[in-house]
Amino acid sequence: MPAVNHPDYKEELDRCNYTLQYVEKCLERTLAKKNRIDRDLEWTRKHFNSDNSQHYIDIIVNSLLQGTMDIEIRNLMSARSKPYFARIDFLEKGKDSAEKLYIGKMSLIRDENQKLIIIDWRAPVANLYYEGRLGDASYVCPDGKIEGTLQLKRQFSIDKGELKEIFDIDITTNDEFLQSCLGANVDNRLKEIVTTIQTEQNAVIRADMWRPLIVQGAAGSGKTTIALHRIAYLIYNLEKSYVPENFMIIAPNKLFLNYISDVLPELGVEKARQTTFEEFAQDLIGKRFKLRDPNEKLQAFVDHTKSPEEREYLSLVRRTSEFKASMRFKETLDVYLKEIEENFIPREDFTFCSVLIYKYEELYDLFVNQYRMWPIARRLDEMKKNLNTRLKAKKQEIINRLYEACDKRVAFLKLTIPDGYERRRLVTEAIDGRDRDIANIEKEANTAISAYIRKISRLSPFDYYRDLMNDEAMFEKAAGDRLDTDVCRFVRSYTAGMLKSGWLETEDLAPIIYIKFIIYGMDEKIPVRHVVIDEAQDFSAFQVYVLKRIIKDSSFTILGDLNQGIHSYRGIQDWDELTRIVFSDRKHDFLTLEQSYRTTVEIMNAANIVIDKIKSREVSKAKPVIRHGEEVRIRPAASKKEIISGILRDIDEFRSLSYKSVAIICKTLRECREVHSALSRHIDGVILITGKEDEYRTGIAVLPACLAKGLEFDAVVIYNADSAEYTEDELDIKLLYVAMTRPLHRLCIYHTGELTPLLKP
């Protein structure tokens, strides 16, 4: 309700003004402190003396303080507009009066008496707001379980320092406030949602960090936003043990990363790594590759205009992707890597000065059995230690024998030859000969091990992978019965040809990382401790397995929606693949986000009709919040030209409604280019999204369905959803479902021929 109509308006207004005044006071003090630190840092850098260790210390300390001050100032600047968003009154068991706690995006403590003015939303007690009901309640903190009575839950709408609305509630967010938040128009970036986090979302955010967490989240359930809030929550609660650099989120593409880039800074988190699998993989491998766009392959798979011959070829390409992304391919690589291991060291004895130091069988046992816990190539370091130890002992034996032989020779000369020039010459000759032999032995000893090691051929991980694909016999041996003979030959020849042309596909990266890990290990310790994988349905179990192997002592949050698995030919078919194969050695948690907060009831009901057409598995359908809007508009058109005319009229209507973002979603990029060209003749600034962009911009955008995943718009127009474009193939179903679940408010669907059967109940 409007704040002025609430019975506690005066009390809450006074509290709001008091808080705002203290925020200003803290901001003024923090800015002054920041200015002092800036001046000190500038002075130290200008007068830096490399011989003065204190200068080093001052620069390091002040640089850290400078970063901390920047975050604090940004939080205080934000608090000037909206210092907090909720209040809870909690009476702890055994106490006489309830504590009034105001919850915001940061904590604020009064210096004079250490009294809390604002509680951070991530603090344990704040969980009462997100999950507690009025009445008996409790929360868990480092001191244990705190029990008591939750007497009040209150929601505030504060904007630019003005208290506008007050709601008393018993659930996380009352319907009226949630509706107003969901009804807002979309900006060009994803936003934080600390004010409206729902109970099921809160469970994901606050789940145990060290148990792998898999989240099946419906379209519009807030998976991505919740993943970022989880990172902010974990950093806040584990700040003594971990830094932001220990957290990494892996997103599907750079455009998506740009779209979500504002959320963590809004939550006060800097320096958490945000990357794509392709980028992270190439950093690990230590080499940049030319990567084929996976969306081009996807669009070829769903292009129903291809000839039968082309479709047959694409079917083999698809099976190739399926195999290389599978754990069966990991098993194939294991056979190949075992072959490399078996033949890594020379099949010969290690000798020195014709003396046997190690028999080959002994070396093989050391290398293959005793040092098997090490990466293959790194075992050589341990081998060197053994070779060096025994070589030193053998060398000393040889030298000792030379001394004994020389001593005997000298003694013999002294007994048989009278003292004189001849005897001295022969004695000197014997000693010099001994010393020359010892010098030669020392010299040979210094190079014997390195000469042995030089006989070992070591290739780059990429070269090992390429050699496997070029070796028909080896590949067929490694693949065994995991593939049909014809498919096996195609997989090898297709991949070999691609590698020869200088290109790789996404499916090739995990195998190359795996080869590097098994043969060389990782070059340095990866600082990441917690990995968040978004849109994980398009990851393969092999990719997740590789990440788990290479990032030691790591934990995972994996979020996705199987209904949106448009790259399922190389992705996860069932979450059981992860729990059964990748995380079988650890207890894990599985949570679902069923509620969809993005679209209206009418749009989600229509989208659920589409996704229900999947017959290969049981479908988990999204449950929309009770927010109604217009029915989905399905419009037949006589031609594509007529569709363009209709879209232009739709855009005029959307503009009159002040919609900030409109998407025209086509099935293929080819269609997108045609539509973009047609619309650009009538409207300026129409954006074409091809997947190559690094920055996401709002406005009127034309994009293929495969790039719409994860994004949201005020209104969406689906271009030409006829029966020829969207068949009952599972990929078509998922692409149409993705397109239909992007809008917040309006959805229009055009078709020229017969309407796709997917939209028919």
Side-chain angles (χ1 to χ4, degrees):
M1 68 170 68
V4 293
N5 295 338
H6 195 279
D8 293 340
Y9 172 67
K10 181 65 170 62
E11 176 192 349
E12 295 298 358
L13 181 63
D14 290 343
R15 173 67 189 219
C16 184
N17 290 334
Y18 161 75
T19 304
L20 288 169
Q21 289 168 9
Y22 201 80
V23 166
E24 286 295 330
K25 180 181 176 181
C26 289
L27 181 59
E28 183 180 342
R29 188 169 61 239
T30 306
L31 284 169
K33 185 177 179 181
K34 172 71 162 45
N35 288 334
R36 287 197 303 273
I37 291 171
D38 290 346
R39 288 196 300 270
D40 290 346
L41 194 54
E42 184 179 0
W43 185 93
T44 306
R45 284 172 173 161
K46 280 184 178 179
H47 300 86
F48 181 73
N49 181 352
S50 58
D51 295 328
N52 188 334
S53 61
Q54 187 60 43
H55 282 184
Y56 279 110
I57 296 170
D58 289 345
I59 287 177
I60 292 170
V61 171
N62 284 331
S63 295
L64 291 172
L65 287 173
Q66 196 176 50
T68 303
M69 291 292 103
D70 285 339
I71 295 173
E72 191 173 337
I73 289 168
R74 187 174 60 247
N75 288 339
L76 288 167
M77 293 289 284
S78 176
R80 289 170 114 183
S81 175
K82 187 175 182 177
Y84 49 80
F85 57 83
R87 164 186 162 183
I88 56 173
D89 291 1
F90 182 65
L91 176 61
E92 187 178 334
K93 187 180 289 186
K95 293 191 175 180
D96 297 329
S97 60
E99 193 172 9
K100 299 177 182 179
L101 302 170
Y102 287 79
I103 302 170
K105 286 166 55 179
M106 58 170 282
S107 62
L108 187 63
I109 302 174
R110 186 175 180 83
D111 289 338
E112 294 80 357
N113 56 10
Q114 296 300 296
K115 183 179 179 181
L116 276 166
I117 299 173
I118 305 173
I119 296 283
D120 193 293
W121 69 275
R122 297 166 289 186
V125 69
N127 201 38
L128 290 170
Y129 167 70
Y130 293 112
E131 294 195 354
R133 300 294 300 262
L134 296 184
D136 292 342
S138 64
Y139 67 94
V140 177
C141 69
D143 293 331
K145 186 177 182 180
I146 308 299
E147 297 180 328
T149 304
L150 185 59
Q151 298 179 340
L152 177 73
K153 288 177 71 172
R154 183 167 286 171
Q155 179 85 50
F156 303 101
S157 175
I158 304 173
D159 186 40
K160 297 179 181 177
E162 181 183 349
L163 179 59
K164 292 189 171 183
E165 294 178 302
I166 301 174
F167 302 97
D168 288 340
I169 57 177
D170 189 22
I171 53 176
T172 304
T173 311
N174 74 350
D175 286 344
E176 187 180 351
F177 187 82
L178 181 60
Q179 294 285 357
S180 68
C181 291
L182 297 178
N185 293 334
V186 179
D187 205 342
N188 66 330
R189 293 288 188 279
L190 196 64
K191 301 297 181 184
E192 52 84 8
I193 59 164
V194 294
T195 307
T196 58
I197 293 169
Q198 301 297 291
T199 301
E200 65 173 8
Q201 296 172 326
N202 189 56
V204 173
I205 292 171
R206 297 175 187 254
D208 185 347
M209 172 175 167
W210 293 112
R211 288 168 67 101
L213 174 63
I214 300 170
V215 180
Q216 162 60 38
S221 60
K223 294 182 295 296
T224 300
T225 312
I226 293 309
L228 297 169
H229 284 65
R230 175 162 169 75
I231 290 175
Y233 169 79
L234 293 173
I235 290 172
Y236 175 85
N237 284 277
L238 300 169
E239 62 179 348
K240 293 181 179 178
S241 304
Y242 301 96
V243 294
E245 292 91 329
N246 295 145
F247 294 81
M248 177 173 70
I249 181 165
I250 301 179
N253 52 57
K254 289 184 178 180
L255 181 70
F256 190 77
L257 284 172
N258 182 258
Y259 176 62
I260 68 175
S261 61
D262 286 349
V263 178
L264 286 176
E266 283 179 1
L267 296 172
V269 174
E270 300 282 354
K271 299 181 180 179
R273 183 167 185 177
Q274 301 181 53
T275 187
T276 64
F277 179 79
E278 289 80 4
E279 186 177 82
F280 184 56
Q282 291 180 95
D283 288 344
L284 290 173
I285 297 168
K287 183 177 180 180
R288 312 313 287 183
F289 299 105
K290 291 192 297 182
L291 291 173
R292 286 183 173 172
D293 183 353
N295 292 313
E296 292 179 6
K297 183 189 291 186
L298 172 64
Q299 290 180 53
F301 291 161
V302 297
D303 185 350
H304 302 302
T305 65
K306 301 286 187 184
S307 67
E309 293 77 14
E310 290 173 316
R311 300 298 298 170
E312 184 177 353
Y313 174 79
L314 287 170
S315 175
L316 288 169
V317 172
R318 183 168 175 166
R319 292 187 67 178
T320 297
S321 293
E322 289 173 352
F323 179 66
K324 291 197 293 185
S326 71
M327 294 299 287
R328 289 178 295 136
F329 191 43
K330 178 260 177 190
E331 294 165 0
T332 298
L333 291 174
D334 284 337
V335 175
Y336 173 55
L337 289 166
K338 184 65 179 175
E339 191 82 12
I340 290 173
E341 179 189 48
E342 294 276 348
N343 295 283
F344 202 76
I345 62 173
R347 290 182 173 272
E348 60 185 49
D349 298 334
F350 177 64
T351 60
F352 168 69
C353 295
S354 301
V355 175
L356 178 66
I357 307 297
Y358 264 109
K359 295 181 69 174
Y360 167 72
E361 289 75 17
E362 291 180 278
L363 293 171
Y364 176 87
D365 181 62
L366 281 173
F367 188 80
V368 173
N369 298 319
Q370 297 188 41
Y371 296 143
R372 65 175 178 270
M373 74 290 296
W374 294 92
I376 292 173
R378 289 190 182 178
R379 298 176 198 178
L380 295 178
D381 293 332
E382 299 302 312
M383 291 279 289
K384 286 178 185 178
K385 295 175 186 177
N386 284 74
L387 292 173
N388 192 51
T389 299
R390 193 173 289 190
L391 179 61
K392 280 184 177 179
K394 289 291 184 181
K395 180 187 73 174
Q396 197 56 52
E397 288 180 19
I398 295 170
I399 290 173
N400 289 342
R401 286 200 295 271
L402 287 174
Y403 272 108
E404 290 174 5
C406 182
D407 290 344
K408 288 179 180 178
R409 172 66 175 164
V410 170
F412 176 77
L413 291 173
K414 288 180 178 180
L415 287 172
T416 57
I417 301 176
D419 187 21
Y421 171 78
E422 182 62 17
R423 191 173 81 176
R424 286 195 295 274
R425 182 184 68 80
L426 292 173
V427 168
T428 300
E429 189 177 272
I431 294 172
D432 289 345
R434 178 202 66 192
D435 291 343
R436 280 195 305 274
D437 289 343
I438 291 174
N440 289 333
I441 289 168
E442 293 285 2
K443 183 178 180 180
E444 188 173 339
N446 290 334
T447 60
I449 295 175
S450 58
Y452 176 81
I453 297 298
R454 278 197 299 273
K455 296 176 183 178
I456 299 171
S457 174
R458 285 176 282 187
L459 306 177
S460 72
F462 172 79
D463 288 336
Y464 278 118
Y465 187 64
R466 184 181 57 194
D467 282 359
L468 171 63
M469 295 303 171
N470 287 334
D471 190 334
E472 184 176 354
M474 182 66 244
F475 188 84
E476 290 184 3
K477 175 184 176 182
D481 58 1
R482 299 177 185 89
L483 278 176
D484 296 339
T485 302
D486 291 343
V487 178
C488 180
R489 288 172 181 166
F490 183 87
V491 170
R492 189 202 64 77
S493 62
Y494 171 84
T495 307
M498 183 186 58
L499 298 178
K500 185 178 180 180
S501 70
W503 290 86
L504 268 75
E505 295 178 321
T506 297
E507 301 91 284
D508 297 303
L509 294 173
I512 295 174
I513 295 172
Y514 185 63
I515 289 171
K516 177 176 181 179
F517 177 71
I518 297 299
I519 295 180
Y520 296 104
M522 290 296 112
D523 296 331
E524 57 186 42
K525 192 173 183 181
I526 301 168
V528 175
R529 288 293 169 269
H530 188 79
V531 181
V532 175
I533 302 177
D534 196 15
E535 301 292 347
Q537 73 279 352
D538 289 331
F539 265 62
S540 67
F542 191 12
Q543 283 176 291
V544 181
Y545 173 83
V546 165
L547 289 173
K548 180 172 176 281
R549 286 291 304 271
I550 65 173
I551 305 176
K552 296 294 185 184
D553 304 319
S554 58
S555 59
F556 286 81
T557 298
I558 296 171
L559 309 97
D561 179 13
L562 296 178
N563 292 340
Q564 298 182 68
I566 59 176
H567 295 285
S568 57
Y569 56 89
R570 61 170 171 82
I572 293 167
Q573 304 291 328
D574 192 307
W575 297 120
D576 182 56
E577 287 185 68
L578 295 184
T579 57
R580 179 173 45 84
I581 299 171
V582 181
F583 298 117
S584 60
D585 60 331
R586 296 165 67 177
K587 291 183 178 179
H588 65 275
D589 292 320
F590 183 87
L591 297 175
T592 58
L593 296 172
E594 296 181 334
Q595 201 79 43
S596 175
Y597 303 96
R598 178 185 297 136
T599 62
T600 62
V601 171
E602 290 74 16
I603 293 173
M604 186 51 73
N605 285 345
N608 280 338
I609 289 173
V610 171
I611 203 64
D612 208 30
K613 297 294 194 297
I614 290 180
K615 305 301 181 187
S616 61
R617 58 179 171 80
E618 185 177 344
V619 172
S620 174
K621 288 184 282 191
K623 299 176 181 177
V625 296
I626 305 303
R627 181 170 71 90
H628 286 281
E630 279 203 2
E631 291 290 339
V632 175
R633 299 178 183 178
I634 299 178
R635 294 173 170 168
S639 64
K640 292 183 178 180
K641 184 177 180 181
E642 188 176 316
I643 293 180
I644 296 298
S645 297
I647 292 173
L648 290 170
R649 289 193 296 272
D650 291 332
I651 290 172
D652 285 340
E653 180 185 354
F654 298 151
R655 283 174 165 172
S656 72
L657 295 169
S658 300
Y659 288 171
K660 297 178 181 178
S661 61
V662 176
I664 294 87
I665 300 179
C666 307
K667 191 179 182 188
T668 66
L669 188 56
R670 172 180 48 79
E671 280 184 332
C672 287
R673 295 187 193 281
E674 294 171 1
V675 172
H676 177 261
S677 176
L679 292 178
S680 296
R681 297 189 194 106
H682 304 276
I683 304 174
D684 293 332
V686 179
I687 303 162
L688 175 64
I689 297 177
T690 65
K692 303 290 193 296
E693 298 80 9
D694 289 335
E695 181 179 358
Y696 177 78
R697 292 182 291 144
T698 191
I700 300 169
V702 182
L703 69 162
C706 59
L707 293 177
K709 189 157 52 68
L711 305 179
E712 58 185 31
F713 308 89
D714 289 323
V716 166
V717 177
I718 296 178
Y719 179 81
N720 200 19
D722 66 21
S723 58
E725 285 285 341
Y726 291 97
T727 69
E728 294 185 274
D729 179 82
E730 188 167 317
L731 271 179
D732 285 353
I733 295 171
K734 290 177 178 178
L735 283 171
L736 184 56
Y737 179 76
V738 166
M740 292 179 67
T741 54
R742 298 309 98 198
L744 273 72
H745 309 300
R746 296 286 184 88
L747 174 60
C748 302
I749 302 174
Y750 286 87
H751 63 100
T752 52
E754 182 184 354
L755 178 67
T756 172
L758 302 180
L759 286 165
K760 299 175 183 178

